[in-house]
């Protein structure tokens, strides 16, 4: 079992699963860990969660997120997909957000706050080419001024990508222009951990991030 970490904060809890197992093994671990529920099938002694995806990586992510959720006391059977695409809990226990990167699956849970979002991303040079799609001119000019070398630029672009993805999940709106929709506090350095403010229309958010030199994690919560 590759549970990476569990954290409990004032307004939210967070679990991260390192995806070292195959999708088949993750599925078996989840089935074995599921709480007992009533079933109409006399031959089924334990409920079974079926992943809708066929690709191995997507199946890994699906099962790892639910195993991580289980570590936070969330019944995986209560997790459904909202028509807009984000996960919801049908038992009214709270609110969740999922993210996954190359190696990790992360789950954010809050029993109080409904507008929450999480993103985890591996820093990669590919963001140098993708930056024009999600960064506006002011943000790009700021990065050019304060992050002069390629490594620092990649770290800054990774931070802003994580911020915007976490914000996108928190606002729960399908009509988002990643370049213009968010007003985000500009940073002059990427630290190992930090906090900043952002807004979307009349809503204000706090974003906490951490960076270990390779993976960036960002948690977003409405103020």
């Amino acid at each position: 079992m590759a549970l990476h970490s569990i954290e409990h904060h004032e307004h939210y809890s967070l679990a991260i699963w390192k995806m070292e197992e195959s999708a088949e093994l993750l599925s078996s671990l989840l089935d074995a860990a599921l709480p007992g529920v009533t079933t109409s099938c006399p031959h089924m002694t334990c409920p079974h969660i079926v992943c809708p995806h066929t690709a191995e990586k997507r199946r890994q992510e699906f099962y790892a997120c639910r195993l991580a959720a289980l570590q936070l006391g969330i019944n995986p059977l209560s997790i459904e997909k909202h028509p807009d695409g984000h996960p919801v809990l049908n038992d009214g226990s709270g609110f969740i957000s999922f993210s996954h990167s190359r190696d990790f699956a992360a789950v954010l849970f809050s029993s109080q706050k409904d507008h929450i979002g999480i993103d985890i991303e591996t820093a990669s040079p590919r963001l140098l080419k993708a930056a024009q799609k999600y960064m506006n001119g002011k943000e790009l000019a700021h990065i050019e001024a304060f992050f002069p070398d390629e490594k620092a630029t990649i770290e800054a672009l990774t931070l802003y990508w994580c911020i915007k993805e976490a914000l996108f999940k928190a606002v729960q709106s399908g009509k988002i222009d990643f370049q213009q929709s968010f007003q985000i506090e500009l940073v002059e350095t990427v630290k190992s951990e930090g906090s900043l403010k952002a807004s979307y229309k009349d809503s204000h958010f706090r974003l906490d991030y951490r960076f270990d030199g390779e993976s960036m994690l960002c948690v977003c919560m409405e103020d």
Side-chain angles (χ1 to χ4, degrees), residues 167-209:
L167 278 165
F168 172 71
K169 295 171 184 177
V171 301
Q172 300 172 5
S173 173
K175 298 179 180 179
I176 294 293
D177 179 348
F178 270 47
Q179 290 182 321
Q180 305 297 336
S181 291
F182 305 123
Q183 289 70 54
I184 302 171
E185 180 182 345
L186 298 175
V187 298
E188 297 180 2
T189 182
V190 176
K191 304 174 184 178
S192 58
E193 57 182 72
S195 298
L196 64 154
K197 301 289 187 178
S199 61
Y200 170 74
K201 296 183 178 179
D202 295 328
S203 299
H204 301 279
F205 299 86
R206 173 191 169 104
L207 295 114
D208 297 325
Y209 76 86

Side-chain angles (χ1 to χ4, degrees), residues 4 7 15 21 37 40 55 93 111 126 132 140 160 169 175:
H4 183 67
E7 302 173 21
E21 308 91 343
V37 297
S40 59
S93 60
S111 61
R126 66 181 176 80
Q132 296 287 344
L140 288 172
Y160 280 98
K169 295 171 184 177
K175 298 179 180 179

Side-chain angles (χ1 to χ4, degrees), residues 12-61:
Y12 67 87
S13 295
L14 169 68
I16 301 176
W17 190 280
K18 188 171 185 181
M19 294 184 289
E20 298 177 334
E21 308 91 343
S22 67
E24 182 178 2
L25 179 54
L26 288 169
S27 175
S28 297
L29 289 171
L30 182 60
D31 285 346
L34 284 175
V37 297
T38 302
T39 174
S40 59
C41 177
H43 304 295
M44 184 181 292
T45 58
C46 180
H48 179 64
I49 293 178
V50 178
C51 176
H53 308 296
T54 57
E56 172 71 10
K57 181 62 173 173
R58 295 294 302 277
R59 295 178 68 239
Q60 277 184 305
E61 294 165 351

Side-chain angles (χ1 to χ4, degrees), residues 20 40 46 63 69 77 80 98 100-101 108 118-120 124 130 133 141 158 162 185 190 203 210 217 220:
E20 298 177 334
S40 59
C46 180
Y63 291 122
L77 295 169
E80 294 184 351
F98 289 167
H100 27 72
S101 66
L108 179 67
I118 188 170
D119 194 61
I120 186 167
S124 169
K133 296 181 180 180
T158 305
C162 273
E185 180 182 345
V190 176
S203 299
R210 72 183 66 161
L217 175 72
C220 178

Side-chain angles (χ1 to χ4, degrees), residues 8 13 47 52 54 72 80 115 118 122 130 143-144 163 171 179:
H8 297 289
S13 295
T54 57
L72 298 177
E80 294 184 351
H115 289 286
I118 188 170
T122 302
I143 286 179
E144 185 176 357
I163 288 170
V171 301
Q179 290 182 321

